[in-house]
Amino acid sequence: MTALAHETLEAVMPKVTTSPSDQDEAVWQSWKAMNPPEGYHAEVVEGFIEVSPTGRYSHGRIANRLRRALDAFLPRGEFAAYQDMNVVHHRKAWIPDLFVSLDDAEEHVTEDGLGIDAAAVQLIVEVVSAGHDNITRDRTRKRREYARAGIAVYVLIDDYDAGGTVTVLSAPDPGSAVYRDEVRASYGTGATIPSGPAKGFTIGADITGSGGAG
């Protein structure tokens, strides 16, 4: 996902002095009112509205390979892999490249119907796209956001890290916004999910290819 805009509160609301909770609400309402053009989507990440286009072919190929493989691996009728859906947590909204939740998740849909509550999400995967803003968002800002939300496993598939790596983050500490456990594997060597419904699933060269963009 290549960043098109990274809007602060000042960019979308008048310059007034507000409390952090009021700022969050203002950004949230601005996000809900947005209507991005076709081919783009908007997220709220650490108090910012970010508008990004859909990924390139190579990005989408990895995400779709992974979804097909996960759907075949996950317990039939219990869990499923999802794409193109909002994950919502405390006035934040993300559209991960892929996430795993209950196959029948109706009771976890937010009251306004905008997405699924983060509490029901077991695993999130982001496929990193080129560009400083994209790399920083997935490696740093979203890493903190997902840890704050208590997402049990966060996987980064990163063409731009040492020739291609898969990083598996687990054991989140929401209070500190960090993951306590981290395992990195080079493309082609395989990285295994340590817990949750996808425990034992390995992301290998059949999904990532043998080498990244460098």
Side-chain angles (χ1 to χ4, degrees):
M1 298 179 290
T2 303
L4 178 68
H6 188 202
E7 303 179 52
T8 64
L9 176 66
E10 288 78 13
V12 296
M13 297 294 292
K15 291 187 177 181
V16 295
T17 301
T18 59
S19 68
S21 61
D22 289 339
Q23 291 178 2
D24 286 347
E25 181 64 21
V27 171
W28 178 248
Q29 294 301 329
S30 297
W31 173 80
K32 288 172 64 176
M34 291 184 70
N35 185 24
E38 185 177 355
Y40 292 83
H41 62 247
E43 301 176 283
V44 181
V45 182
E46 293 198 320
F48 295 91
I49 296 174
E50 300 195 16
V51 182
S52 308
T54 54
R56 299 178 181 180
Y57 171 76
S58 59
H59 177 284
R61 179 178 59 187
I62 289 175
N64 280 285
R65 282 176 178 172
L66 181 57
R67 178 177 179 177
R68 290 193 296 270
L70 270 172
D71 272 335
F73 179 89
L74 292 167
R76 185 175 298 275
E78 295 184 46
F79 294 92
Y82 293 87
Q83 293 174 298
D84 300 322
M85 189 183 299
N86 295 320
V87 175
V88 178
H89 178 69
H90 294 174
R91 299 190 184 116
K92 305 296 189 295
W94 318 301
I95 307 176
D97 291 313
L98 184 146
F99 68 89
V100 170
S101 185
L102 292 169
D103 189 31
D104 182 5
E106 290 296 323
E107 65 180 289
H108 299 289
V109 175
T110 58
E111 290 184 6
D112 50 19
L114 288 174
I116 189 168
D117 192 283
V121 175
Q122 308 294 316
L123 175 150
I124 282 180
V125 180
E126 297 286 5
V127 181
V128 180
S129 291
H132 178 267
D133 286 345
N134 303 314
I135 290 171
T136 301
R137 178 175 58 245
D138 289 343
R139 291 182 187 172
T140 305
R141 298 197 300 277
K142 280 193 169 182
R143 176 172 176 156
R144 290 193 296 254
E145 287 278 72
Y146 296 154
R148 286 190 192 101
I151 302 298
V153 180
Y154 175 35
V155 177
L156 278 160
I157 300 177
D158 194 341
D159 270 2
Y160 308 95
D161 180 17
T165 63
V166 178
T167 301
V168 179
L169 300 160
S170 59
D173 181 346
S176 300
V178 298
Y179 282 95
R180 294 189 295 271
D181 294 338
E182 175 177 344
V183 176
R184 296 172 74 251
S186 299
Y187 279 10
T189 62
T192 302
I193 306 301
S195 61
K199 180 178 180 179
F201 178 83
T202 297
I203 301 171
D206 56 326
I207 293 169
T208 64
S210 58

